[in-house]
Structure formats: structure tokens, C-alpha cells
């Protein structure tokens, strides 16, 4: 039985909601707050907390402005975020492959 590569999993991305944000942004490049909230079925407070964590890690940038009199928050994936997401996907692929290999040996 081999040791699974669990240490390669990025804990910042691995949370369900943060993974959803990153997956959405990898495809869309940028999204407004309400678009993410609806797509991920998240509450405003919960999404805010997770976006802050991604921003603190340098994986997303958050731009606040106004559209007319309404506040507009845009979230954009950074170059570092795109690279971190690619590493995360590769690490998960390795982890799942290791699990399959171990189950095939049984």
C-alpha cells in the first residue's frame, strides 16, 4: 500500500465553497458577487468570508465600485490563483489515482 499524496492538497482551495469559486473563475475569469452567490447557492456572509480567504492567499482580486448608486463587487482570478488551481487539480488527480491503485491491489 502506497502513501497517499494528501500533503499536496491546497487547504485554501479545498473547502467546498472556495473550490466552487475557483472552478467558476477558472472558466469565467471574473464574476460579480451576486453572480457567484447565486451560482454557488451561498449566503452573502459565507461567500464574503471565503472570498476573503482566497484574496488573502493571493488567489483572487476583489474590486469594489459602484454601478449607478449600487455597490458592485467583482472577483477576478489572479495568475497565482490560476497556477494554484492547476496544482490543486493535479494533486487531487494523483490522490484519486493512488486510491484507485490501492483498491486494485485488493
Amino acid at each position: 500500500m502506497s502513501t497517499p499524496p494528501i500533503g499536496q492538497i491546497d487547504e485554501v482551495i479545498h473547502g467546498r465553497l472556495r473550490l466552487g469559486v475557483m472552478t467558476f473563475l477558472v472558466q469565467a475569469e471574473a464574476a460579480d458577487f451576486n453572480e457567484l452567490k447565486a451560482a454557488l447557492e451561498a449566503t452573502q456572509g459565507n461567500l464574503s468570508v471565503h472570498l476573503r480567504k482566497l484574496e488573502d492567499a493571493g488567489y483572487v482580486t476583489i474590486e469594489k465600485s459602484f454601478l449607478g448608486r449600487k455597490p458592485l463587487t467583482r472577483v477576478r482570478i489572479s495568475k497565482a490563483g490560476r497556477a494554484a488551481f492547476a496544482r490543486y487539480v493535479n494533486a487531487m488527480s494523483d490522490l484519486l489515482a493512488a486510491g484507485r491503485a490501492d483498491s486494485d491491489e485488493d
Side-chain angles (χ1 to χ4, degrees):
M1 180 164 136
S2 64
T3 305
I6 197 78
Q8 298 173 17
I9 304 303
D10 186 327
E11 289 294 322
V12 174
I13 295 175
H14 194 64
R16 184 189 70 81
L17 197 54
R18 293 186 303 272
L19 178 57
V21 167
M22 294 298 287
T23 301
F24 191 95
L25 292 176
V26 160
Q27 297 171 31
E29 191 70 33
D32 70 42
F33 185 88
N34 288 328
E35 184 180 12
L36 283 172
K37 188 174 102 173
L40 301 171
E41 300 176 349
T43 64
Q44 185 170 334
N46 200 8
L47 181 57
S48 292
V49 167
H50 289 288
L51 287 176
R52 172 78 55 162
K53 193 167 230 178
L54 290 168
E55 183 182 36
D56 289 347
Y59 294 169
V60 301
T61 58
I62 298 176
E63 305 155 2
K64 294 182 182 258
S65 63
F66 285 89
L67 184 60
R69 292 180 175 240
K70 292 179 127 181
L72 177 65
T73 301
R74 296 278 297 164
V75 183
R76 185 175 307 277
I77 192 165
S78 67
K79 187 175 181 180
R82 192 171 289 284
F85 187 76
R87 286 189 306 272
Y88 175 84
V89 169
N90 288 335
M92 287 300 293
S93 179
D94 291 348
L95 182 64
L96 294 171
R100 272 194 299 273
D102 285 346
S103 68
D104 289 344
E105 293 173 5
D106 292 339

